[in-house]
Amino acid sequence: MKDPASDVDWSGASLFPRIGWGWIVALAFSVGCSNPRSQPSTVDIFRGRTLRIIVGTSAGGGYDLGARVLAAHFGRHIPGEPAIVVENMAGAGGMLAANFLARQAQADGLTIGFIGENAVIAQLTQQPGVQFDVRQFGAIGSPTGNEADVCVLSRASGFDIARWQASRVPLRMGVTSRGSGPYARTVLLSAALRLPVRLIVGYQGTAQIRLAIEGGEVDGLCTLLSTYRSTFEPKANFPIVLQDSDRPDPLLAAVPSAASLVTDASGQALLRVSARIRALTRYYVVPPATPTDRLQLLRTAFDETMRDPEFLRAAAAAQLDIDPLPAADITARAAAVFDLPEDVRGRVIGLLLERTAP
Amino acid sequence: MTFADALHACFSGFGSIFVWPEFGLLVAGVILGAMVGILPGLGGAATLAILLPFSVGLPPTQAFALLMGVAAVTATTGDLTSILVGIPGEAISAATMVDGHPMAVRGEGARAIGASLFSSLAGSIVGAVTLAATIPFALVAARSIGSPEFFMLSLLGIGFMASLSGSSTLKGLAIGGLGLMIATIGMDRVGAIPRFTFGQLFLWDGVGAIPVSLGLFAIPEIVHLVANQAAVSTDVATVRGRLRDGILDVRRLWPLVLQSSAIGTLLGLLPGVGAGVSQWVAYGHAARRGAEHHEFGQGAIEGVIAPSAANNATLGGSLVPALAFGIPGGLMSAMLISALIVKGLVPGPEMLTPEAQGGHLTLVFALVWLIVLANVIAVALACLSTGLLVRITRIRAARIVPFLLLLTFIGAFTERQVIADLLVTVVMGALGLALVRYGWPRAPLLLGVVLGPLAENRLFLSVDAYGSQWLLRPGVLLIAALMLAAFVLPRRAHRWKRQQDVPSPPRVAKSSSFNGEHVFILLLAALLGAAVVVAASYPPRAALAPRLVAVATLTLLFAAVASDRLKTGRSEPTVSLPFTTPSIVTMVWIPIFLVVLWGFGFVAGAPVVVLGYLLVTGRERPVRAVVLAVVTGVAVYGLLFRLLYVPFPPGAFYSFLTGYFV
């Protein structure tokens, strides 16, 4: 039987021998399929187009879910009702996505980003690789800009905030990674309140830390109240001993607030920085230099979506807390994180960069 | 929860699936999952992320019928791609390829498929039954396993490198060390120190397991395909007969099926371990168990059955911590937790409480049944289409190669959606080619890449949380004893057996002439030496793992070379990979694919580069080549870009022209 491969000329000379009509067809096809981003000329650029939401985390987590639930409803409120797709651009704690938005994404209103506090902290601590300035992005809005921080200790430890402050042994607090929002706020909170802590860094999520608390590997953690509500059961085993928020939650009336325990100016300054970072936990932006009229269209659509009963139902079903923060507030707080007195700025950066281990 | 409650929930859960549209959604999910599993790199987890918003409006049982249909079968059909074309359909199917593909090459593809499908089914049943039986006890188990025990378990897994090393343990351990070294690339989570990233942000998250597995296994296989063959296989044996042989193999080797399923389930119970590890541990177990056969790596049926059973059993195991505590065992179970939360169901004790008391026990049993039923449907569909699938192996090499290369690159991109992972795949492909050519094992490297981060992370957590006391924990001592028993007893048995056998042949020194293998070893040694030097600039803690691993790997590397020189010729049964003209031409095409896909993007570049290969190297008739290229373009654009929302980036050339780089 004849070997079908024997017809094939495998000689190296045949590698680039001819530019036939097949190539011409292929090139024509490729040109036809390409050029996905030509500059539109009208305000009504959204009609019949696809708007991309770039999420700086991998598929699955809270950021991704939030973006996907928003994507299902946001388009209805944008003139022209564009299709919306969510793209995950995970990497370097969200820095890849932030760099993409700052340097590569077209500023035409058809690409928006869902970024968060990691980008802010990376810029504040001058991480290598930062190619963006969060103050240059055009803020669209945040679905959850009024978060609270809570510190949770194992019920078995028997500690409350007074015993914690007086303890001579540092409590072991679980953290996911250095440079993350919870890491930064745990450091700032404990420094402001002079709480003795030893950070155990490297867990792969809050659920894993919860298991470590149950197993006695760590004593507790500081996290967002919304994360606590969705991750910790039964709550009686994980009592909240401290809260820090701009608007105290009525259900936490009996829990001491950080602001009431800090009396010195230095500690209060640290709490203010922590609060500003917390307000930037997750928010939507457009690339720098996006035309103002398009940004304004997106802001209006976002605000309308946040009031849309259908969206609110879907968010509630997905256990997403919706407590929006308008674009103007985000812009102000992003600026305020960097607009610090020199001594405060130096102390904050020093604390965030301090090594927990040699 | 009483036994009667559990029995009632079990029957109710079963009944809740056999209604419309639940069953229809299950079948739809299975078909989608089967397709995703067959296509390399298109992961089940990413598909679940896409489906999640669509499931928001569905009642829980309907939503999970769809989602579990996808989740339960990607490993089953991923194994088929691994067997038939030598490219892992899923990252968790790489181990099946090691012996499954050589079987396909020698015309036993249908037998391997039969064995893989039915061991997958058995594995999924064991995993599902375990899920049903162990949830009530999971809390106690989870509390007793802390970071020290996780570290010891990862060490146990790393120890399996020796089992994956063929007859040269030293070579296997050295290559496994190289895998551990690759695993240190990226941001050190504790110290926030980027290691070996050379200013590249995409490396901050480390090197992905999918680009590594595709590079190591798919690229050499593609080159091998064109080197000396017309097709994967030209065997014309009847499919039905071969398929039955595979099913009979599963029946004959039922103890191995059960053991591998148990391995898969147990490792699935451990958060963060997952099927990426369990497949290799099960393979290593099979290889150790059948150490007297030297067929492993060349088409041993045990090497197909063990990983197929294990990777399917892992899902059931991983759902135990997911449902009981909301702790994902892997990415797939993380998605399913998201789906639970979307439905307003909080993982925890309520999942174990009967509906009458406000819980969701019936839903848990419905999930158990969904895993089993999804696999039954997938296996039935795959059996019916085996004849069609096996035909893939008879397509002539020059026609199938461009599509295999394209699928390899698409697979490499889709895990993290980073275009630079294409380059990682090519680099790993070059390493894989060298390893195959010089007869070094590849599996230990992949195991090192998967287990390295887990081991390092858990070691530091143990030291930080417990100090040196972690060494005295009962769980640690128990696992240490198990490790000792696992590695000492087989060696003693082997030594005893050797004493019964004929005496070893006299050792003859190998030729001392300098060859390509020596260049390869020197290159590896230089890289490891450079890593030691670069790591010296890191803080001591961030430098510890890379320096320790690099020095150990260098030592093993030289020990392997010294040992090899003392043996009679080459001891390793090497895979033949002659660098013939066809294989060299195909190797030249690999960077061409990379540049075209990077420069023009997948949507525009894929048809161009496929057409180019078919016309220039495949010598395909122009009309047929154009038709195939157009079909490729339509599939990439319509199926992947539009339907499955794979976010292919625009090509760099277009980006440059349209002002991306300002």
Side-chain angles (χ1 to χ4, degrees):
Chain A
M1 193 177 88
K2 190 181 177 188
D3 179 357
S6 60
D7 293 340
V8 177
D9 174 12
W10 287 106
S11 70
S14 70
L15 201 57
F16 304 104
R18 54 193 179 141
I19 307 251
W21 63 271
W23 281 102
I24 295 166
V25 171
L27 282 172
F29 181 79
S30 71
V31 170
C33 287
S34 60
N35 195 16
R37 290 169 183 78
S38 57
Q39 282 288 347
S41 56
T42 64
V43 174
D44 190 21
I45 62 151
F46 297 108
R47 192 176 305 282
R49 306 293 293 272
T50 298
L51 188 148
R52 308 155 72 197
I53 301 180
I54 307 292
V55 181
T57 61
S58 56
Y63 272 85
D64 180 60
L65 182 62
R68 287 176 193 274
V69 172
L70 180 87
H73 302 272
F74 191 31
R76 282 201 306 275
H77 299 277
I78 301 173
E81 301 196 14
I84 299 187
V85 294
V86 173
E87 292 181 19
N88 300 93
M89 195 177 286
M95 269 170 57
L96 268 181
N99 280 350
F100 171 81
L101 290 165
R103 304 261 305 178
Q104 288 176 265
Q106 271 207 339
D108 58 2
L110 285 168
T111 302
I112 67 178
F114 193 23
I115 64 170
E117 55 199 341
N118 285 7
V120 178
I121 294 164
Q123 186 183 337
L124 183 65
T125 54
Q126 296 169 343
Q127 280 264 23
V130 171
Q131 297 172 354
F132 56 83
D133 181 344
V134 290
R135 294 166 292 188
Q136 300 295 316
F137 291 131
I140 296 173
S142 167
T144 52
N146 297 296
E147 284 273 15
D149 274 313
V150 292
C151 289
V152 176
L153 291 181
S154 152
R155 182 184 182 78
S157 73
F159 272 84
D160 59 14
I161 192 69
R163 279 193 64 200
W164 187 4
Q165 279 182 304
S167 173
R168 298 177 69 176
V169 181
L171 295 194
R172 297 163 301 174
M173 303 298 277
V175 184
T176 51
S177 61
R178 185 180 289 274
S180 65
Y183 174 89
R185 293 197 303 279
T186 305
V187 165
L188 295 175
L189 261 179
S190 57
L193 274 83
R194 297 195 172 83
L195 295 168
V197 296
R198 184 148 64 92
L199 297 178
I200 310 295
V201 186
Y203 291 99
Q204 285 176 342
T206 310
Q208 216 176 69
I209 299 176
R210 191 195 71 206
L211 198 61
I213 296 173
E214 285 191 288
E217 191 166 302
V218 296
D219 299 302
L221 90 163
C222 296
T223 186
L224 293 173
L225 179 59
S226 57
T227 308
Y228 171 77
R229 283 189 171 137
S230 63
T231 315
F232 284 78
E233 288 294 345
K235 300 224 167 0
N237 287 352
F238 307 95
I240 298 174
V241 298
L242 180 70
Q243 63 169 318
D244 182 27
S245 62
D246 296 337
R247 274 192 336 220
D249 190 306
L251 295 175
L252 298 180
V255 177
S257 80
S260 68
L261 296 170
V262 176
T263 48
D264 63 305
S266 158
Q268 284 167 345
L270 294 181
L271 283 188
R272 275 197 297 277
V273 177
S274 177
R276 287 167 190 173
I277 293 175
R278 186 173 61 233
L280 302 170
T281 300
R282 47 188 73 181
Y283 61 109
Y284 292 91
V285 296
V286 289
T290 299
T292 316
D293 55 342
R294 293 175 198 179
L295 174 57
Q296 197 49 52
L297 276 178
L298 291 170
R299 282 175 173 167
T300 308
F302 183 83
D303 293 343
E304 285 174 11
T305 309
M306 292 297 113
R307 295 190 295 269
D308 179 346
E310 239 179 282
F311 166 74
L312 292 173
R313 266 196 302 277
Q319 303 235 326
L320 297 169
D321 287 342
I322 300 299
D323 190 1
L325 193 68
D329 286 6
I330 294 169
T331 307
R333 292 186 196 207
V337 169
F338 299 94
D339 184 21
L340 297 171
E342 209 47 52
D343 58 329
V344 176
R345 184 188 175 84
R347 181 151 186 236
V348 167
I349 293 174
L351 283 167
L352 295 181
L353 293 180
E354 197 174 79
R355 303 280 168 217
T356 48
Chain B
M1 178 177 68
T2 63
F3 182 71
D5 288 335
L7 205 62
H8 180 259
C10 182
F11 284 116
S12 305
F14 186 71
S16 68
I17 300 166
F18 287 96
V19 288
W20 185 261
E22 278 79 351
F23 194 75
L25 284 165
L26 173 64
V27 174
V30 168
I31 292 170
L32 184 60
M35 283 169 52
V36 165
I38 283 176
L39 292 173
L42 269 184
T47 312
L48 289 184
I50 292 164
L51 288 178
L52 209 52
F54 297 105
S55 72
V56 167
L58 300 174
T61 317
Q62 289 178 19
F64 282 103
L66 178 68
L67 298 175
M68 290 300 286
V70 173
V73 304
T74 49
T76 308
T77 54
D79 288 337
L80 303 186
T81 317
S82 299
I83 291 167
L84 292 174
V85 290
I87 296 176
E90 293 283 295
I92 56 178
S93 303
T96 312
M97 189 188 56
V98 176
D99 278 286
H101 188 59
M103 286 185 72
V105 170
R106 65 172 187 238
E108 293 187 304
R111 180 185 169 202
I113 286 177
S116 171
L117 287 176
F118 280 82
S119 53
S120 294
L121 181 60
S124 67
I125 291 171
V126 171
V129 170
T130 309
L131 167 63
T134 58
I135 277 195
F137 315 107
L139 189 57
V140 180
R143 278 183 183 146
S144 59
I145 297 179
S147 292
E149 287 77 20
F150 270 111
F151 170 66
M152 292 302 289
L153 286 167
S154 56
L155 272 193
L156 186 65
I158 288 169
F160 271 97
M161 284 173 179
S163 305
L164 302 174
S165 306
S167 58
S168 176
T169 306
L170 282 173
K171 280 183 175 179
L173 291 175
I175 288 301
L178 189 64
L180 289 172
M181 203 62 221
I182 292 170
T184 64
I185 294 172
M187 178 67 84
D188 166 38
R189 290 170 77 87
V190 180
I193 304 292
R195 296 185 300 200
F196 308 118
T197 55
F198 310 107
Q200 299 300 312
L201 284 184
F202 82 94
L203 285 175
W204 276 30
D205 291 333
V207 176
I210 288 183
V212 172
S213 63
L214 286 171
L216 277 181
F217 292 101
I219 299 273
E221 195 48 51
I222 291 167
V223 172
H224 183 255
L225 186 62
V226 296
N228 50 11
Q229 286 175 286
V232 173
S233 170
T234 51
D235 181 85
V236 289
T238 60
V239 167
R240 192 178 297 276
R242 294 291 194 184
L243 198 64
R244 196 171 53 235
D245 288 347
I247 298 167
L248 291 174
D249 286 327
V250 173
R251 200 173 75 176
R252 179 171 56 85
L253 295 166
W254 65 267
L256 177 63
V257 176
L258 283 184
Q259 289 160 10
S260 305
S261 304
I263 289 171
T265 310
L266 286 173
L267 291 179
L269 289 168
L270 304 174
V273 178
V277 177
S278 71
Q279 56 169 344
W280 290 113
V281 174
Y283 182 87
H285 168 72
R288 185 180 291 275
R289 190 172 170 272
E292 67 274 18
H293 310 302
H294 289 287
E295 273 194 2
F296 277 92
Q298 297 166 67
I301 193 71
E302 293 90 341
V304 176
I305 287 174
S308 297
N311 63 14
N312 275 272
T314 304
L315 177 65
S318 72
L319 283 179
V320 176
L323 293 174
F325 327 109
I327 296 168
L331 200 51
M332 197 92 86
S333 49
M335 295 293 169
L336 293 169
I337 291 173
S338 298
L340 278 176
I341 292 171
V342 164
K343 297 284 147 216
L345 307 171
V346 181
E350 303 90 71
M351 301 304 293
L352 315 176
T353 311
E355 269 68 6
Q357 296 162 35
H360 312 288
L361 192 60
T362 302
L363 180 67
V364 170
F365 276 98
L367 294 180
V368 170
W369 284 113
L370 282 168
I371 293 175
V372 176
L373 280 175
N375 271 286
V376 169
I377 296 168
V379 167
L381 287 175
C383 281
L384 289 174
S385 52
T386 300
L388 193 68
L389 290 170
V390 169
R391 277 188 209 163
I392 293 171
T393 63
R394 299 182 195 143
I395 300 173
R396 71 184 174 94
R399 186 175 291 163
I400 201 174
V401 159
F403 301 102
L404 295 181
L405 277 175
L406 183 60
L407 284 174
T408 300
F409 282 117
I410 289 173
F413 171 77
T414 48
E415 184 193 17
R416 302 193 299 183
Q417 297 157 10
V418 175
I419 199 79
D421 275 347
L422 271 58
L423 186 61
V424 173
T425 306
V426 172
V427 171
M428 286 295 138
L431 178 62
L433 282 168
L435 291 173
V436 175
R437 185 167 171 80
Y438 301 121
W440 290 59
R442 289 169 288 171
L445 193 145
L446 191 53
L447 193 62
V449 170
V450 173
L451 279 176
L454 186 70
E456 187 187 8
N457 175 240
R458 289 296 184 167
L459 173 63
F460 284 132
L461 282 175
S462 302
V463 173
D464 286 348
Y466 297 100
S468 59
Q469 293 298 307
W470 71 270
L471 287 162
L472 300 175
R473 282 169 66 95
V476 171
L477 295 173
L478 180 69
I479 299 167
L482 280 175
M483 285 169 68
L484 205 64
F487 289 101
V488 171
L489 292 180
R491 278 168 204 286
R492 292 192 66 166
H494 185 60
R495 197 175 300 153
W496 179 83
K497 189 172 181 301
R498 261 206 330 216
Q499 283 165 2
Q500 312 296 311
D501 294 343
V502 290
S504 305
R507 288 174 170 177
V508 177
K510 278 177 78 174
S511 159
S512 60
S513 62
F514 197 76
N515 57 33
E517 186 177 7
H518 294 128
V519 175
F520 168 66
I521 291 166
L522 282 177
L523 204 61
L524 284 187
L527 277 174
L528 289 164
V532 174
V533 174
V534 172
S537 63
Y538 303 149
R541 188 161 178 154
L544 180 66
R547 294 180 84 175
L548 199 67
V549 173
V551 170
T553 307
L554 268 173
T555 311
L556 285 165
L557 201 60
F558 289 123
V561 174
S563 158
D564 207 28
R565 288 175 67 85
L566 289 172
K567 288 184 181 170
T568 312
R570 190 185 295 277
S571 63
E572 182 79 5
T574 59
V575 179
S576 163
L577 184 59
F579 283 170
T580 57
T581 305
S583 59
I584 291 169
V585 169
T586 299
M587 281 192 265
V588 171
W589 271 101
I590 292 169
I592 294 174
F593 266 69
L594 171 69
V595 170
V596 172
L597 294 175
W598 171 75
F600 292 91
F602 281 87
V603 173
V608 171
V609 78
V610 164
L611 182 66
Y613 188 98
L614 289 173
L615 284 177
V616 177
T617 305
R619 306 290 286 176
E620 194 67 73
R621 281 195 300 247
V623 174
R624 181 177 280 176
V626 170
V627 169
L628 287 171
V630 170
V631 169
T632 304
V634 170
V636 171
Y637 180 77
L639 178 67
L640 300 176
F641 189 59
R642 283 289 173 198
L643 192 65
L644 293 175
Y645 296 120
V646 178
F648 292 127
F653 299 152
Y654 289 129
S655 301
F656 181 77
L657 292 174
T658 53
Y660 270 96
F661 299 117
V662 287

